[in-house]
Amino acid sequence: MAVLIVDDNPEVRLSAAFLLEDHGFEVFEAEHPEVAKQFLSCKPIALILLDMNFTRDTTSGNEGLAFLSWLQTQPRPPAVICLTGWGSVTLAVEAMRLGAADFIEKPWQNSQLLDAIRKQSKLSVLQAKRSNTLESEVALPTYSWRSAAMQTLLGKLQRIAATDASVLLCGESGCGKSHLVETLHQQSARSGGPLISVNMGAIPESLFESEMFGHTKGAFTDAKSQRSGRFELASGGTLFLDEVATIPLTQQAKLLRVLESGEYERVGSSRTERADIRLICATNSDLEQDVAQGRFRSDLFYRINTFTFELPPLRARLDDIVPLAEHLLARHAARYKLATKPLDNEAQAALLAYRWPGNIRELSHVMERALLLSEGAQICAADCQLRLASPKPEQAHNPVSPAPGATLAEVEKALIEQTLALHQGQVSEAAKALGLTKSSLYRRLDKYGLRSES
């Protein structure tokens, strides 16, 4: 990571350079903001340590504020940590308003400065990844869910998004939980803060505390420098714990403590830190069953499930399958710099008939493969290379399979007939399974001349 020190005092620059170089940072120096501007035009800099006072005066901070103001007019400005020997609340507030990430008074504590730099380094990496993702999709609108099941769910989420209440998202793997986390974060009062996602299943038990709460230098054998944990990185924003059911039972009490008290300590430190996060968890496990069988603490379960929402699987969102497939085709086309292709009727019928055991994740892979392998002007059923999923026991009789040449209407009619049969003709249950409202299903019944029990 490249750091630019902007300070008119050579001794200050030297002291900061020695400290940062000893901890693996690439350091550059500028004695004045005008020199820094020239430097930024030719060097990629990730972070600036900015003194606030130069030749004009020694106390107002106006020169530093002017540089911050200029910096915000530049494309992708680097993060800035302001340094000053004449600190004031007014100056700090104005610096933050102009985009400064942090404000530290001189003389600084080395540990304090390093900690602030590391935090900004990690946030810069996360923001760069998110920016690259957005750029790859810049011409594409976000997908709007069409199915009644998702419309109902989104309405409920919108009502609680602005609160800080904990949310637990349940549902099969790949059904779009992470997408809803982003929606919740963007609609919350914390949207200006970071969204930090953690795959709990990927954290070794021995590193749980270090990953979540951070550690001090020398706290254990490989702790060669101080490190911020996920709670600190998410401060002021949202912390998303994916696969929360995989947290080892021995570590669940440590997570419960910080959720109950809002306090934690870095590994190797006795200083108590305060957590300032909104918690969202997700799982594809049955947590109530895990609690009953002793695999998950009941007190932790009740702490994380203030609001619990169940995401329906893709096969229960009939109205979403084809438009979502078209959206994913367009996204992959933009990624590979190709023209997107429409789905022909047989391909649409095949997508509707398929069970989608891998849900949206599988649909995305199928559309990516179809786009790259198709040779015609349209995506056909053969391009999708779908393997008919093994039917569940209750569906073993007559699972829907698209006949060669079947139209979209014919497949939809067959799917409705089968779903009604599985639910003994109960329209409300069949509509729920298909991701439709009762009125939408009734319209389809009239359209296809089908009868059912009310």
Side-chain angles (χ1 to χ4, degrees):
M1 176 182 176
V3 179
L4 175 62
I5 303 169
V6 186
D7 197 300
D8 58 352
N9 188 326
E11 293 183 359
V12 170
R13 296 199 306 270
L14 184 63
S15 175
F18 280 163
L19 174 66
L20 298 185
E21 287 172 350
D22 285 345
H23 287 82
F25 294 97
E26 184 180 14
V27 180
F28 301 94
E29 300 177 31
E31 66 272 16
H32 193 273
E34 293 304 318
V35 178
K37 291 178 183 180
Q38 298 173 15
F39 203 98
L40 291 169
S41 67
C42 60
K43 287 281 187 181
I45 297 296
L47 176 71
I48 296 175
L49 295 182
L50 176 66
D51 185 24
M52 298 300 289
N53 298 292
F54 294 88
T55 55
R56 192 183 306 165
D57 61 57
T58 59
T59 60
S60 72
N62 287 334
E63 288 173 293
L65 294 175
F67 179 73
L68 281 172
S69 184
W70 171 84
L71 198 61
Q72 294 311 302
T73 67
Q74 305 304 301
R76 291 193 179 183
V80 178
I81 295 176
C82 296
L83 307 172
T84 180
W86 298 89
S88 72
V89 173
T90 302
L91 182 58
V93 168
E94 184 63 14
M96 301 295 238
R97 189 184 70 79
L98 291 172
D102 211 336
F103 192 96
I104 296 176
E105 290 189 46
K106 299 176 184 177
W108 62 75
Q109 295 292 322
N110 285 349
S111 60
Q112 179 191 19
L113 182 60
L114 285 170
D115 200 31
I117 292 172
R118 289 194 186 97
K119 182 177 180 179
Q120 292 310 314
S121 173
K122 291 184 179 182
L123 287 175
S124 295
V125 170
L126 290 169
Q127 289 165 355
K129 288 181 178 178
R130 185 175 297 177
S131 177
N132 290 337
T133 299
L134 291 172
E135 283 184 359
S136 69
E137 302 173 10
V138 66
L140 298 176
T142 56
Y143 179 74
S144 298
W145 297 104
R146 318 289 176 82
S147 64
M150 288 302 294
Q151 288 290 333
T152 299
L153 177 58
L154 288 172
K156 293 177 180 177
L157 290 174
Q158 190 172 25
R159 287 195 289 275
I160 60 96
T163 74
D164 265 359
S166 298
V167 175
L168 175 62
L169 300 175
C170 302
E172 295 180 7
S173 179
C175 66
K177 295 186 286 292
S178 60
H179 172 82
L180 291 189
V181 172
E182 293 181 6
T183 300
L184 276 169
H185 177 69
Q186 292 303 323
Q187 293 181 356
S188 75
R190 295 173 173 268
S191 59
L195 169 59
I196 303 297
S197 301
V198 191
N199 184 340
M200 304 308 296
I203 298 179
E205 183 173 358
S206 60
L207 296 178
F208 177 85
E209 289 183 87
S210 174
E211 289 291 328
M212 299 306 297
F213 311 132
H215 62 247
T216 61
K217 181 178 180 180
F220 48 86
T221 303
D222 293 326
K224 297 179 180 178
S225 61
Q226 184 165 290
R227 179 179 181 178
S228 299
R230 307 305 174 90
F231 273 91
E232 183 177 356
L233 291 175
S235 183
T238 302
L239 180 61
F240 171 43
L241 306 184
D242 198 7
E243 298 187 30
V244 69
T246 63
I247 299 176
L249 197 60
T250 54
Q251 306 299 329
Q252 290 175 23
K254 297 166 184 174
L255 178 60
L256 177 64
R257 183 237 171 174
V258 66
L259 296 182
E260 287 185 334
S261 68
E263 297 179 344
Y264 66 93
E265 291 83 34
R266 291 194 185 99
V267 178
S269 172
S270 59
R271 177 184 171 183
T272 298
E273 309 287 346
R274 293 288 304 177
D276 176 22
I277 57 102
R278 197 266 182 89
L279 182 71
I280 302 177
C281 297
T283 182
N284 56 14
S285 295
D286 185 341
L287 280 185
E288 289 187 357
Q289 185 178 19
D290 289 344
V291 169
Q293 296 179 357
R295 293 192 297 268
F296 201 86
R297 293 178 61 113
S298 60
D299 45 6
L300 179 58
F301 174 61
Y302 294 124
R303 176 60 62 175
I304 67 175
N305 76 337
T306 304
F307 290 98
T308 300
F309 298 98
E310 183 81 25
L311 272 74
L314 183 58
R315 59 185 171 274
R317 309 181 210 173
L318 192 65
D319 286 348
D320 275 315
I321 292 176
V322 172
L324 179 57
E326 293 170 339
H327 174 81
L328 292 169
L329 275 171
R331 191 170 75 180
H332 289 307
R335 175 184 168 196
Y336 289 110
K337 295 181 172 58
L338 299 172
T340 191
K341 296 182 179 182
L343 295 158
D344 69 16
N345 286 341
E346 288 189 11
Q348 293 184 36
L351 296 181
L352 285 171
Y354 188 58
R355 293 292 299 166
W356 298 109
N359 290 294
I360 298 171
R361 186 178 296 122
E362 183 182 10
L363 177 61
S364 179
H365 292 325
V366 167
M367 290 300 97
E368 182 179 13
R369 183 173 61 232
L371 176 71
L372 296 176
L373 296 180
S374 66
E375 296 179 353
Q378 294 182 307
I379 303 291
C380 65
D383 294 327
C384 297
Q385 300 180 14
L386 294 175
R387 304 179 311 278
L388 288 180
S390 300
K392 295 182 178 180
E394 70 272 15
Q395 300 160 335
H397 65 288
N398 192 31
V400 170
S401 178
T407 66
L408 182 60
E410 289 169 340
V411 172
E412 184 177 57
K413 178 182 177 182
L415 184 58
I416 290 172
E417 287 179 316
Q418 175 180 291
T419 306
L420 281 169
L422 291 173
H423 294 281
Q424 292 77 48
Q426 297 296 316
V427 173
S428 58
E429 294 300 317
K432 189 181 300 182
L434 291 168
L436 301 172
T437 61
K438 283 179 66 176
S439 58
S440 294
L441 182 51
Y442 273 122
R443 285 195 296 272
R444 285 169 168 82
L445 294 178
D446 289 340
K447 173 183 176 182
Y448 298 125
L450 299 174
R451 294 187 178 184
S452 67
E453 300 294 330
S454 61

